[in-house]
Amino acid sequence: MNLEKQAEVTAYLDAVCAHVRYREVHEQIQLELLSHIESLVEEQVAEGESEQAAIQKALRQMGDAVVVGKQLHKTHQPRTEWGLFGLVALIVSIGMLTIYSIQAQGLLGHFAALFQKSLLWLFIGTALATCLYYYDYRKLKKHAGRIYGIVILVLVLSHFTGVQVNGKTFVSLGMVQIDFIGISPYLLTVALAGLFCKWTWDTVGVAKAFGLLMLPLVIYYMNFDKGAFLLYLVAFFLLMTLSGAKRYQWLGMASAFGGFFALFLLSEPYRMKRMFTFLNPYADPKGAGWLHVQIHETIASAGWWGQGFTFPAHWLPEVHTDMIFPYMVYTFGWVFGAIFLVTVLMLLYRMAATARVIKEPFGRNLIHGFTGIIGFGLLWNMLNGSGLAPGYYVALPFISYGGSQLLINLVATGLVLGVFRRKDLIPSDGRPSLSPEKT
Amino acid sequence: MQVNKELLKGSTVTLVLSLLDRQPMYGYEMIKEMEKLSDGIFAFKEGTLYPILHALESEGLVEAFWMGEEGARRRKYYRITGAGKRRLREKRAEWNLFSSSVNRIIGEGIL
């Protein structure tokens, strides 16, 4: 029986959907209700009713379209993860306060208007994040391969034509210089999230994935960007592990990596020394251990409630980026540092919990990838900033000064909130399929 | 005899999860099964089953999948998840406590 063209049935279905504001679920609801109505009508007709009478009876049995529609609307509403939003807002505010105090103290005299620039980027980033919040992120999935290609292309181009500032390569766009290498791990995470949705993890698949891993890493290595290197490594292994790779596959790849890294360290004695200086910086306090000693003393002298705005100029380099955490602890105290750590852990817990309720694989991958990248950045920077890790520095997401960095972290947050927003708007397995689904 | 709708309200989730605990089903099938098992007592407006199912799906207690060969009718099936099974256990315990307590007070000749 096919009642799709029956005026009464169509009117009923339309009346139901009129109360469901989000159009994306209309098709699914109509198909499901239609199949129910058709079954009811079939049953009546088999018992000898005329089709018209059967339809009327079936619709009565379905119940008031307004009631059904309103109840369905309640379920299919966009959701906002206010907890996640609030935590990010809190962390960003802490960042802005810190940048303001660094500027007000004149710790980076040559670097004027640090705070104003951050504010501008915060504004731009929030606007972009808002757009992405409303954007149907699923559209990005089919561009995953293209995104990967373009990112690699720009990375290669910037390697040869980029502007060097303090040993970092920037892409120059007239007025603004973009830390493209710095934001590229995030973009590649989007690409991997899409590519790994339906990845076949056989030998060929693993080999291809290995290529996807190595290509950016080589570029990062050639540009001496340890931050991007580490972030991409973390995002890659996280997504690989969570998207169906067998344990021996990712463990194998990771241990090959570990072995290579060990060789790399052992091949040059100074690398070993640098790597493990943080364990005993006082062995060489004027040389390799200098920065670690400074960090130790900064943290040690902070006290429970901080030293206020008395941070000595030139005491630590890069207090506005890599070394912003020891500055924060020194200025605002150990208690503040602990509160900050708890806030960060809450944020990461929240993000992981958000991923768990997303059934759509691309969206879930996106959240997992960003959780890994942002989480690693936050924790690794704090470890380094407390002298508890070797000095491979990354920026502190949302806090460290840097327009591109702030922008990309806000954009990632916007995407995560956008995925969560649509969690009840998207049917679990996308379009209804014609063939039986596997369980 | 008809059952007051208000009485049914609190237990629809338990009923739906119990049905799906046996096997995956689509909406129409669930209505029929419920009618059969309750001797026609639970004859409610069928459209209101879907908001319940969709809400359970968004809570992760059930999951949905479409099935049907080409040409035949495609149907949206629901199946219970691990979280759904846990919820059902709680709901069952709650119901047993509730119903036995009510029976103790109003019951006549109940052993």
Side-chain angles (χ1 to χ4, degrees):
Chain A
M1 186 154 307
N2 199 336
L3 299 176
E4 240 166 310
K5 300 262 150 46
Q6 282 285 343
E8 268 175 293
V9 175
T10 337
Y12 181 84
L13 296 176
D14 287 345
V16 169
C17 284
H19 294 277
V20 182
R21 211 176 115 210
Y22 287 87
R23 303 183 144 271
E24 285 171 40
V25 289
H26 284 189
E27 195 195 339
Q28 297 265 328
I29 290 173
Q30 297 212 348
L31 273 171
E32 191 177 22
L33 293 182
L34 179 66
S35 114
H36 193 114
I37 295 169
E38 283 175 349
S39 303
L40 281 175
V41 172
E42 260 168 29
E43 189 189 57
Q44 297 292 324
V45 169
E47 281 172 21
E49 287 271 11
S50 77
E51 190 175 294
Q52 277 313 311
I55 288 175
Q56 273 167 20
K57 200 165 169 206
L59 292 182
R60 262 201 312 280
Q61 214 160 316
M62 291 303 283
D64 192 355
V66 178
V67 174
V68 176
K70 279 185 176 158
Q71 288 178 345
L72 280 168
H73 175 65
K74 236 187 265 168
T75 304
H76 296 284
Q77 267 182 25
R79 312 278 170 195
T80 305
E81 229 301 13
W82 288 111
L84 192 63
F85 176 85
L87 286 166
V88 169
L90 178 64
I91 293 175
V92 168
S93 314
I94 291 172
M96 296 306 286
L97 175 75
T98 309
I99 295 287
Y100 182 78
S101 73
I102 289 174
Q103 179 180 338
Q105 274 175 267
L107 290 177
L108 294 154
H110 61 291
F111 231 147
L114 218 59
F115 177 71
Q116 285 81 346
K117 278 190 202 163
S118 290
L119 215 53
L120 177 67
W121 282 106
L122 176 63
F123 186 72
I124 298 172
T126 308
L128 248 169
T130 310
C131 293
L132 283 166
Y133 174 67
Y134 289 107
Y135 176 72
D136 184 357
Y137 71 93
R138 289 171 298 165
K139 290 183 189 149
L140 287 173
K141 186 178 160 184
K142 58 174 179 285
H143 299 300
R146 220 162 298 156
I147 294 172
Y148 187 91
I150 292 171
V151 171
I152 295 295
L153 191 71
V154 178
L155 281 175
V156 170
L157 283 177
S158 76
H159 176 69
F160 291 111
T161 64
V163 193
Q164 298 280 330
V165 183
N166 300 330
K168 280 192 85 158
T169 314
F170 286 80
V171 173
S172 182
L173 284 181
M175 290 283 287
V176 278
Q177 283 165 354
I178 295 176
D179 176 15
F180 187 77
I181 294 185
I183 66 173
S184 60
Y186 290 77
L187 304 177
L188 291 171
T189 297
V190 175
L192 289 184
L195 291 170
F196 282 177
C197 274
K198 280 197 177 150
W199 199 262
T200 33
W201 291 101
D202 51 12
T203 317
V204 180
V206 171
K208 275 200 259 177
F210 188 66
L212 291 178
L213 169 65
M214 288 312 289
L215 211 52
L217 289 188
V218 168
I219 302 171
Y220 297 146
Y221 181 76
M222 291 197 303
N223 285 282
F224 312 106
D225 203 313
K226 294 184 188 87
F229 191 97
L230 286 171
L231 291 185
Y232 183 62
L233 202 61
V234 168
F236 180 91
F237 275 105
L238 196 67
L239 286 176
M240 179 181 179
T241 315
L242 294 174
S243 65
K246 309 237 170 24
R247 185 178 293 166
Y248 73 89
Q249 290 173 328
W250 63 262
L251 271 180
M253 208 189 273
S255 37
F257 232 85
F260 186 76
F261 184 66
L263 262 178
F264 171 79
L265 282 182
L266 291 167
S267 63
E268 292 276 2
Y270 78 88
R271 287 183 184 144
M272 276 298 278
K273 200 173 156 200
R274 242 204 94 182
M275 176 83 188
F276 293 106
T277 300
F278 79 98
L279 292 174
N280 184 16
Y282 291 95
D284 184 11
K286 293 253 152 57
W290 178 78
L291 189 53
H292 293 286
V293 170
Q294 300 291 98
I295 292 170
H296 277 232
E297 285 176 11
T298 308
I299 300 286
S301 59
W304 290 107
W305 306 106
Q307 299 295 326
F309 303 108
T310 59
F311 196 85
H314 310 298
W315 175 249
L316 281 177
E318 300 287 312
V319 278
H320 61 313
T321 58
D322 297 342
M323 289 294 130
I324 202 162
F325 185 67
Y327 170 84
M328 284 161 78
V329 173
Y330 178 90
T331 306
F332 306 116
W334 295 332
V335 170
F336 172 85
I339 293 173
F340 184 71
L341 176 65
V342 170
T343 312
V344 161
L345 292 175
M346 275 167 65
L347 174 74
L348 298 178
Y349 172 77
R350 207 72 206 215
M351 285 180 80
T354 304
R356 216 173 316 138
V357 298
I358 307 297
K359 284 158 265 167
E360 194 273 321
F362 177 54
R364 198 175 49 227
N365 275 351
L366 272 180
I367 302 184
H368 277 143
F370 287 143
T371 309
I373 251 183
I374 293 174
F376 179 79
L378 287 164
L379 298 175
W380 188 247
N381 180 291
M382 282 192 272
L383 277 178
N384 272 308
S386 324
L388 299 173
Y392 297 134
Y393 299 109
V394 300
L396 191 56
F398 301 113
I399 306 273
S400 282
Y401 175 76
S404 317
Q405 283 289 339
L406 183 57
L407 189 83
I408 200 71
N409 283 302
L410 292 172
V411 159
T413 308
L415 261 174
V416 169
L417 289 171
V419 172
F420 186 83
R421 176 175 185 271
R422 314 183 76 82
K423 89 178 177 74
D424 293 332
L425 302 184
I426 298 165
S428 46
D429 54 348
R431 314 249 124 224
S433 67
L434 285 170
S435 55
E437 294 268 329
K438 278 186 296 230
T439 55
Chain B
M1 193 181 111
Q2 281 272 322
V3 170
N4 189 330
K5 267 190 216 147
E6 292 300 311
L7 271 180
L8 198 58
K9 246 184 196 166
S11 18
T12 39
V13 168
T14 320
L15 290 172
V16 166
L17 288 177
S18 300
L19 286 181
L20 292 178
D21 195 32
R22 301 173 193 182
Q23 67 185 69
M25 286 186 203
Y26 53 94
Y28 179 76
E29 210 180 350
M30 296 174 71
I31 298 272
K32 288 289 135 200
E33 191 71 8
M34 234 184 281
E35 248 178 61
K36 199 178 86 195
L37 293 173
S38 71
D39 283 334
I41 299 286
F42 296 155
F44 55 88
K45 290 297 175 198
E46 306 193 359
T48 53
L49 173 67
Y50 292 96
I52 296 167
L53 284 169
H54 289 202
L56 289 175
E57 190 189 353
S58 88
E59 275 184 80
L61 301 178
V62 304
E63 52 191 12
F65 57 103
W66 286 84
M67 228 163 72
E69 297 298 333
E70 196 142 4
R73 184 166 304 143
R74 286 170 295 160
R75 281 179 168 132
K76 196 173 173 191
Y77 281 77
Y78 293 88
R79 112 186 109 218
I80 195 164
T81 62
K85 286 187 178 180
R86 278 193 296 282
R87 176 69 62 85
L88 179 58
R89 265 202 299 280
E90 289 163 23
K91 284 276 179 190
R92 263 195 193 130
E94 188 186 276
W95 174 256
N96 286 337
L97 181 65
F98 176 75
S99 62
S100 65
S101 307
V102 170
N103 282 339
R104 265 203 300 279
I105 295 170
I106 67 170
E108 286 176 63
I110 289 164
L111 296 172

